[in-house]
Amino acid sequence: MTPTQLRAYSAVVRCGSVKQAAAQLEVSESAVSLHIGQLRKELGDQLFSRTANGLTFTPGGLRLASRATELLGLQDITVLEVSAAGQGRRLLRVGASSLFAEHGAPGLIELFASRAADLDVELSVRNPGSFSEALIERRIDIAIGPPPAVPDPAVVCRPVMYYKVVTVAGPDHPLAGTQPSPRQLRDQTWLLGPSAAAGRGAIPALLRRLGVPDDRQQIFQSHAAAIEEAKRGHGVAAALSFTVAPEVRKGHLVQFCGPHTGLEDVWHSLTLAETGAPSAAAELARFASTPRAIQAMMRGAGVNVGRFKPSIHVTLWS
């Protein structure tokens, strides 16, 4: 079987039809059908059949679907590794939730990359719900953010850092200096970073607990931008306690008190459970929970531009 055949089959699995797979791959339907026919002949399995409700996959077809994504991911990472090795360098691809990528990743990456002169780090922002899939398909080497809702035996999950999300507002906000009730908070305009659009994490959990309706949520391109709007008295914001503490001390922000105004959570690292996982990923997973690493994440220092490679394909949500 060839990579071209596997790509055609993976596209059919993703799209649910040969026609849509052909459109996604920008080839003809006959080309996709040809590749599927070759796979059927070589593997001795029908793989899938058409029904009134779409495609129905055989047990062998389902197994090939998972193997195809793994093999294609291995091919992609091999190309990257060979290219990097030819230049005497290693590449570590880190996937992160938007909250961690904005506030924790810069300091961690700077400190970790400084330990190895031959290491480049690529950071991509991803929906925490896609962490395991991205790891299994070899699109990233390690993920850091909220843990998966359902443990995956193919993935090792390690706690990295405890953090607390608090609710803040500008000093001129009508609720400043009070202890607002859940109902009062629910009725406010919430100024939020992109993590609010994810299904997992402390900020989405806080919004769900308070029952904040969608029409009360304004999502900005970054959490820092949302905090700036809160300073101007345009609403309340959910933020990491260690990032807003200096602004609270200066009086630029007011932090609300009460059991319903904050939430604690833990960032986790996720790596593949298999022994063949990239050594740099396993090393970062171990290093991320050390006191030095936690201090670097809270300090939020920038990374040297020569050592950091932002991902060419950065996605907020898939």
Side-chain angles (χ1 to χ4, degrees), residues 234-259:
H234 295 164
V236 301
L240 290 173
S241 59
F242 67 84
T243 65
V244 295
E247 299 299 313
V248 172
R249 287 194 295 268
K250 294 174 184 176
H252 298 163
L253 286 170
V254 174
Q255 179 178 328
F256 295 119
C257 298

Side-chain angles (χ1 to χ4, degrees), residues 84 89-96 100 105-106 108-124 141-142 144 280-281 284 303-312:
R89 305 196 62 78
R90 294 178 296 156
L91 176 63
L92 177 62
R93 301 169 301 164
V94 180
F100 181 81
L108 176 64
I109 289 175
E110 179 191 32
L111 183 60
F112 183 73
S114 67
R115 295 155 50 95
D118 65 338
L119 182 66
D120 291 323
V121 181
E122 176 186 278
L123 176 67
S124 61
D141 304 312
I142 182 172
I144 304 180
L284 177 57
V303 63
N304 186 294
V305 68
R307 308 297 302 283
F308 174 65
K309 292 186 175 182
S311 177
I312 295 173

Side-chain angles (χ1 to χ4, degrees), residues 44-165:
D45 192 296
Q46 186 65 18
L47 302 180
F48 63 84
S49 60
R50 293 180 176 85
T51 67
N53 296 323
L55 300 181
T56 299
F57 290 86
T58 67
L62 293 175
R63 179 62 60 87
L64 178 61
S66 62
R67 284 288 182 261
T69 55
E70 292 179 17
L71 290 170
L72 292 171
L74 283 172
Q75 182 190 30
D76 292 339
I77 194 174
T78 299
V79 172
L80 289 172
E81 288 177 345
V82 170
S83 176
Q87 303 172 25
R89 305 196 62 78
R90 294 178 296 156
L91 176 63
L92 177 62
R93 301 169 301 164
V94 180
S97 65
S98 62
L99 190 63
F100 181 81
E102 185 173 342
H103 295 296
L108 176 64
I109 289 175
E110 179 191 32
L111 183 60
F112 183 73
S114 67
R115 295 155 50 95
D118 65 338
L119 182 66
D120 291 323
V121 181
E122 176 186 278
L123 176 67
S124 61
V125 182
R126 296 177 179 272
N127 187 331
S130 69
F131 280 169
S132 294
E133 179 184 357
L135 285 165
I136 292 171
E137 295 181 0
R138 270 65 173 191
R139 286 184 270 128
I140 56 175
D141 304 312
I142 182 172
I144 304 180
V150 179
D152 189 324
V155 173
V156 175
C157 188
R158 301 180 179 89
V160 169
M161 174 181 165
Y162 286 86
Y163 67 94
K164 183 176 182 179
V165 166

Side-chain angles (χ1 to χ4, degrees), residues 10 54 94 113 120 134 153 167 172 199 211 217 226 246-247 269 286 288 308 312:
S10 292
V94 180
D120 291 323
T167 305
D172 297 327
Q217 301 180 33
E247 299 299 313
S269 67
R286 292 190 295 268
F308 174 65
I312 295 173

